[in-house]
Amino acid sequence: MNGITERVHRLQERYLATPPAIDAERAVIITRSYQETEGEPMVIRRAKALKKLLNEMTIWIADDELVIGNQAKVARSAPIFPEFSYNWIIEEMENEPFEKRDADRFLIDEETKETIRGLFDYWDGKKLNDIILRMLPEESKKAIENSGVYTFGIPEVAISGVGHYSPNYKTILEKGFSGVKNDALEQLKQLGIPRDGRDIEKYHFWNAIIMVCDAAAGFAKRYAKMAREMAAGEKDANRKTELLQIAGNCDWVPENPARTFWEACQSFWFLQLLLQLESSGHSVSPGRFDQYMYPYYAKDVKEGLITKEYAQELIECLWIKLSEINKIRPIGATKAFGGYPMFQNLCVGGQTRDGRDATNELSYICLDASMNVKLHQPSISVRIWNGTPEQLWFKAIEVKKQGLGMPAFYNDEVIIPALLNRAKELADVRDYAIVGCVEPGCQGYEYGWSGGTGDAPFFSLPACLELAINNGVNLLTGVQAGPATGDLASFTSFEEVKEAYVKQTQYFVDHFAVITNVVDLAHMQLVPLPILSCAMEPCVERGVDVSAGGTKYNSTGTAGVGVSNVADALSAIKKFVFDDQKYSGAELLSALKSNWEGKEALRSEIIAGTPSYGNDDSYADELARWAAGVYCKQTEECTGPRGPYSPGLYPVSANIPMGYGRGASLDGRKAGESLADGISPMHGKDKNGPTATLNSAAAVDHLINSNGTLLNLKFHPSAVEGDNGTRNLMSAIKTFFDNKGLHLQFNVVSSKTLRDAQKNPNKYRGLVVRVAGYSALFVGLDPALQEDIIERTEITELA
């Protein structure tokens, strides 16, 4: 490994010293374009809006940069995307200042505020969010408002772009936007007069593709011109040479195919940046970077054009650019997705399309770059299979032990069969990438909405159980939220409890599909994505925008939350009411309605005496598998406008706010307390050590969860120190993966360090931790999220 260079250290320090701010420039330019194009086909309007933005937005090149291109006027600033939603920005700006939040604070000056206010009238009633709310059936609106099953309330439905994809960077690297443009021109030539069926839609789509390809090339040439002007006045000879090379790079890419590794890095970055400027979606994931970038690296090394050390410096510069991408979210969302996350997942290792080991020298350089830069982006992951070299294992764990919470580990031996089960081709499946947090998808060929942020809500399994044992009535509000299915006081068998849970889950899965499908249809109509369509196959060939199902594989990924809460609550009901018959169902239900008031002895007995998930106890583990399986099987029966649904079990960090709206539960939770994260046990309930936890997690059916599962652990650094600690970690991960676990991630940090960081944030401004399916700067997290991380069971010994 090469240590961090002085250049990268300066870039890193500048990044950490730059406070995030809100930038209204994009909103102004996009609004003007929309005003100018009223009545034109939407895909053309979107292309013209992007073209205007790329022609007029402020650009800059910072000192020391080798890879250039900016999202906003200042690094780390967040643009505004008024075409998606706007009301919440105005409300927060006036009532809950962005700069005074508990987490994800943004500076905003009075001029920017006035600019934002001035745009509101145009967008009122025209935004994506407005249209979706008008399209939603009333019963689905009530399901959102009354149940607490979903992440958000009515105002927050689909307030941003979707994101959640891994585009085909290889297309732009190998063909350039000029090659994509030529493909569109050829399709138009073959089309001729658009006289049949939907040919007119294809006609407008291909013209939009041509327009954005030209705009992308012109955008880069603006930087080329700026670099040359800067070089003319540069007195440092080395920097002058760099600026001239940067100018040459930007004159050539991304318009044309990349010829060198440096050009490939620049072309990659321009595509990533354009995708972020087009839409406010996050989880735009670089995916298999070590695969599509390796040919350029290998060629340059062979020809003596680049050294390994310089390639690593280029990548580290790129990692800092990825960290500069930012997004403004409503204050409520910062409690679920805190730490300025963008979920740009980049994975190394795994298999080639023909089933051979894919590890190469770039795999190691990427891991070393993350270890040097020590920032939260990209969110680096390692694909593991039976042929993974031991050297990659050691490197990945070495990086993990640095305390960054990265890389996360993914199991090819489960993910590949899970994706094959979704009717995907073997070569595409072997080439899967991880998207966002934990979601596997076929890179460049799959548009699989997933997560729960711009597209679909997260789904609370504990909420369904609460309604199941209380006749469909919300414990906190007393409102009839779900169907009447009886209550715990009247059930005469455990099977009746399970039947009620199945009915409640089915009801809310059905409405989940309605909500998500409405969002899907609205995105098709209002926010087509021509730039993304350039890099998703075979959209251009088909003449169909990515948002309308133009990719080879189309799906909607879901995220179920609170597996262990449901397992432990069902375990308590089964044991105390039906097996031991120590308490009646009425007594337990009464305790929940009182939020355990006056029932502390009962609560303590429930917590201590219930077989709990996370301890390798089949009593609870089988209930976890069953409860999760109900949700997954019902979900995979749903169909969206573009294709089937794919279930997953992960919360990002929505387990915290999703607990706020829940009553007390029979796992011992009090009303408002957090739910468990992912398929992890509730904090403190995993009493039998990490091996038992891994065995419980393996009991969940990971194969059906083709949209991913998430398991979090936390190790004290002393538990994994030295070669022995490395080998013990490797052994634990291998055993979990042999038992058909899909994913594993962990922090290596002490609670003492995290407590000190809470007290002395300036001392720890660069402290990166694993939150959920992503890592973030700890001091930027909401205090409740910080507490959730600290309270995870700290493993002090790994035998």
Side-chain angles (χ1 to χ4, degrees):
M1 170 189 166
N2 303 301
I4 188 170
T5 64
E6 290 184 11
R7 177 201 305 273
V8 175
H9 179 68
R10 289 193 296 269
L11 290 169
Q12 177 199 54
E13 284 297 307
R14 190 184 306 148
Y15 170 86
L16 290 171
T18 304
I22 293 177
D23 186 347
E25 184 179 50
R26 182 194 181 279
V28 171
I29 296 171
I30 293 295
T31 302
R32 288 176 184 160
S33 179
Y34 268 65
Q35 290 171 329
E36 293 165 1
T37 60
E38 291 278 3
E40 296 184 36
M42 187 54 75
V43 71
I44 296 295
R45 296 185 75 190
R46 293 288 290 166
K48 286 184 175 180
L50 186 66
K51 179 181 178 180
K52 188 177 183 67
L53 177 66
L54 299 184
N55 285 342
E56 298 180 10
M57 66 177 280
T58 302
I59 64 170
W60 47 264
I61 299 171
D63 292 343
D64 290 313
E65 286 191 318
L66 296 177
V67 178
I68 63 168
N70 54 284
Q71 184 193 23
K73 287 187 286 187
V74 178
R76 298 191 74 187
S77 292
I80 293 173
F81 295 76
E83 65 268 41
F84 292 95
S85 60
Y86 211 54
N87 296 44
W88 65 270
I89 296 174
I90 299 287
E91 291 168 6
E92 281 199 43
M93 189 173 70
E94 310 295 1
N95 303 317
E96 299 177 276
F98 296 113
E99 60 269 34
K100 295 183 179 179
R101 290 171 161 191
D102 287 333
D104 287 19
R105 289 175 285 276
F106 288 85
L107 301 179
I108 182 169
D109 57 37
E110 287 303 319
E111 182 181 353
T112 301
K113 288 181 181 179
E114 193 58 37
T115 298
I116 290 171
R117 294 186 190 105
L119 302 178
F120 178 78
D121 286 346
Y122 175 77
W123 291 105
D124 191 26
K126 299 177 183 177
K127 305 177 295 296
L128 177 78
N129 176 250
D130 296 327
I131 305 306
I132 289 169
L133 293 181
R134 292 201 289 266
M135 290 172 66
L136 274 176
E138 287 303 314
E139 188 175 356
S140 296
K141 288 183 181 179
K142 290 179 181 178
I144 295 171
E145 292 171 335
N146 299 331
S147 68
V149 171
Y150 311 117
T151 324
F152 45 59
I154 282 293
E156 293 80 33
V157 171
I159 57 170
S160 73
V162 177
H164 291 94
Y165 54 77
S166 188
N168 198 348
Y169 297 92
K170 190 176 180 181
T171 294
I172 304 304
L173 292 174
E174 292 185 352
K175 298 171 70 169
F177 278 103
S178 62
V180 177
K181 174 184 174 180
N182 288 337
D183 289 343
L185 286 168
E186 181 60 29
Q187 293 291 349
L188 278 173
K189 180 180 178 181
Q190 292 182 22
L191 177 68
I193 298 173
R195 65 181 185 181
D196 295 329
R198 301 181 68 175
D199 281 355
I200 193 66
E201 293 179 4
K202 293 182 179 182
Y203 171 83
H204 291 309
F205 170 77
W206 283 319
N207 275 291
I209 292 294
I210 293 165
M211 194 181 304
V212 297
C213 286
D214 284 341
F219 185 54
K221 291 181 189 302
R222 290 183 65 200
Y223 285 97
K225 180 181 178 183
M226 176 176 282
R228 283 197 178 88
E229 290 171 351
M230 292 174 67
E234 179 60 59
K235 295 180 180 180
D236 182 274
N238 287 334
R239 185 56 179 165
K240 186 183 187 76
T241 300
E242 287 174 353
L243 286 167
L244 289 174
Q245 184 59 61
I246 287 169
N249 292 345
C250 295
D251 261 335
W252 186 257
V253 295
E255 181 179 13
N256 301 296
R259 300 166 297 188
T260 67
F261 186 68
W262 194 348
E263 284 183 354
C265 288
Q266 184 63 67
S267 187
F268 161 86
W269 173 244
F270 271 132
L271 176 57
Q272 187 75 3
L273 180 59
L274 291 167
L275 294 169
Q276 298 287 0
L277 288 168
E278 181 177 52
S279 168
S280 63
H282 62 240
S283 300
V284 179
S285 297
R288 307 199 72 189
F289 185 90
D290 64 340
Q291 301 304 299
Y292 55 79
M293 293 292 285
Y294 181 72
Y296 302 94
Y297 169 78
K299 173 181 173 292
D300 280 10
V301 169
K302 182 178 179 180
E303 295 178 0
L305 298 177
I306 198 170
T307 63
K308 177 182 176 182
E309 292 74 20
Y310 198 67
Q312 183 168 318
E313 186 174 50
L314 278 170
I315 289 177
E316 290 174 8
C317 290
L318 197 52
W319 271 209
I320 290 171
K321 296 303 289 185
L322 286 166
S323 297
E324 287 178 0
I325 295 291
N326 213 344
K327 175 174 177 172
I328 181 74
R329 297 175 174 84
I331 190 168
T334 67
K335 300 180 185 303
F337 320 108
Y340 307 103
M342 289 304 295
F343 310 94
Q344 297 171 97
N345 207 309
L346 183 151
C347 53
V348 299
Q351 299 173 53
T352 61
R353 291 179 67 87
D354 60 357
R356 303 185 184 195
D357 183 61
T359 309
N360 59 47
E361 191 169 11
L362 211 50
S363 310
Y364 298 100
I365 292 175
C366 288
L367 289 166
D368 281 337
S370 291
M371 187 155 50
N372 278 343
V373 175
K374 291 182 171 58
L375 292 177
H376 61 301
Q377 294 294 319
S379 183
I380 198 161
S381 302
V382 176
R383 282 181 46 179
I384 298 295
W385 72 298
N386 292 341
T388 296
E390 189 167 272
Q391 183 184 357
L392 185 64
W393 272 105
F394 271 86
K395 174 58 69 175
I397 292 175
E398 178 191 1
V399 177
K400 193 74 167 177
K401 287 165 63 173
Q402 301 302 306
L404 302 173
M406 295 185 282
F409 296 86
Y410 293 86
N411 186 5
D412 278 12
E413 310 300 336
V414 169
I415 292 173
I416 288 175
L419 295 179
L420 285 173
N421 192 44
R422 302 297 179 199
K424 296 170 184 175
E425 294 179 16
L426 179 58
D428 294 338
V429 164
R430 282 175 171 158
D431 202 28
Y432 80 85
I434 299 298
V435 174
C437 285
V438 296
E439 305 98 281
C442 298
Q443 175 142 22
Y445 292 91
E446 182 167 10
Y447 192 47
W449 288 21
S450 54
T453 47
D455 37 21
F458 289 101
F459 189 99
S460 173
L461 306 185
C464 292
L465 181 60
E466 175 187 308
L467 297 169
I469 63 173
N470 196 39
N471 200 33
V473 175
N474 186 311
L475 272 175
L476 285 182
T477 65
V479 173
Q480 186 74 43
T485 51
D487 62 26
L488 194 55
S490 63
F491 294 144
T492 59
S493 69
F494 188 59
E495 286 304 312
E496 290 183 51
V497 177
K498 293 170 75 175
E499 288 172 12
Y501 172 79
V502 170
K503 290 177 182 177
Q504 295 291 344
T505 305
Q506 184 70 68
Y507 179 81
F508 288 103
V509 164
D510 288 347
H511 281 292
F512 179 95
V514 172
I515 297 162
T516 308
N517 291 347
V518 165
V519 174
D520 204 335
L521 289 167
H523 274 268
M524 288 184 188
Q525 296 168 17
L526 296 178
V527 282
L529 303 170
I531 276 285
L532 176 57
S533 296
C534 291
M536 292 292 271
E537 309 298 339
C539 292
V540 174
E541 179 184 339
R542 288 179 174 173
V544 179
D545 188 84
V546 65
S547 65
T551 51
K552 185 174 184 178
Y553 307 112
N554 290 278
S555 59
T556 299
T558 71
V561 179
V563 173
S564 66
N565 301 100
V566 172
D568 291 355
L570 286 171
S571 181
I573 294 169
K574 186 174 187 295
K575 177 177 172 58
F576 287 98
V577 177
F578 297 107
D579 289 354
D580 296 351
Q581 298 184 12
K582 187 169 184 180
Y583 298 104
S584 69
E587 288 177 286
L588 295 188
L589 185 57
S590 175
L592 296 185
K593 289 180 176 179
S594 69
N595 194 24
W596 302 105
E597 287 281 334
K599 306 286 185 180
E600 287 299 328
L602 173 60
R603 179 172 179 257
S604 296
E605 184 180 0
I606 292 285
I607 292 172
T610 299
S612 296
Y613 172 83
N615 295 289
D616 198 13
D617 187 330
S618 61
Y619 193 96
D621 294 350
E622 285 302 313
L623 290 170
R625 182 183 179 91
W626 174 82
V630 167
Y631 165 74
C632 292
K633 289 170 186 173
Q634 292 173 350
T635 297
E636 67 178 359
E637 292 172 357
C638 299
T639 302
R642 293 173 299 100
Y645 276 58
S646 175
L649 298 171
Y650 57 92
V652 186
S653 40
N655 56 301
I656 297 171
M658 291 184 86
Y660 296 161
R662 289 269 54 78
S665 52
L666 286 172
D667 57 347
R669 271 184 62 263
K670 289 188 174 182
E673 292 182 349
S674 301
L675 303 179
D677 71 276
I679 58 168
S680 311
M682 275 297 287
H683 302 328
K685 286 197 171 187
D686 44 340
K687 303 289 189 183
N688 295 342
T691 300
T693 297
L694 293 173
N695 288 341
S696 288
V700 175
D701 186 354
H702 293 257
L703 280 167
I704 195 175
N705 282 286
S706 53
N707 196 45
T709 60
L710 184 147
L711 176 60
N712 257 322
L713 297 176
K714 186 175 80 174
F715 291 95
H716 189 281
S718 63
V720 296
E721 64 184 356
D723 289 344
N724 192 50
T726 296
R727 292 196 176 277
N728 285 341
L729 273 175
M730 189 189 308
S731 177
I733 298 168
K734 283 184 175 180
T735 300
F736 178 56
F737 282 2
D738 286 345
N739 290 333
K740 306 303 181 187
L742 185 151
H743 157 270
L744 177 62
Q745 62 186 34
F746 47 88
N747 277 308
V748 180
V749 63
S750 70
S751 297
K752 182 179 178 181
T753 296
L754 298 178
R755 288 289 181 207
D756 193 39
Q758 285 182 314
K759 296 175 184 176
N760 304 289
N762 290 334
K763 180 181 171 184
Y764 292 92
R765 62 177 188 165
L767 176 62
V768 176
V769 297
R770 197 70 174 179
V771 181
Y774 68 100
S775 289
L777 296 166
F778 181 77
V779 297
L781 297 174
D782 184 89
L785 190 46
Q786 290 180 343
E787 283 299 313
D788 188 70
I789 295 168
I790 292 170
E791 290 173 5
R792 292 173 189 168
T793 301
E794 187 168 295
I795 300 165
T796 57
E797 184 177 353
L798 180 62

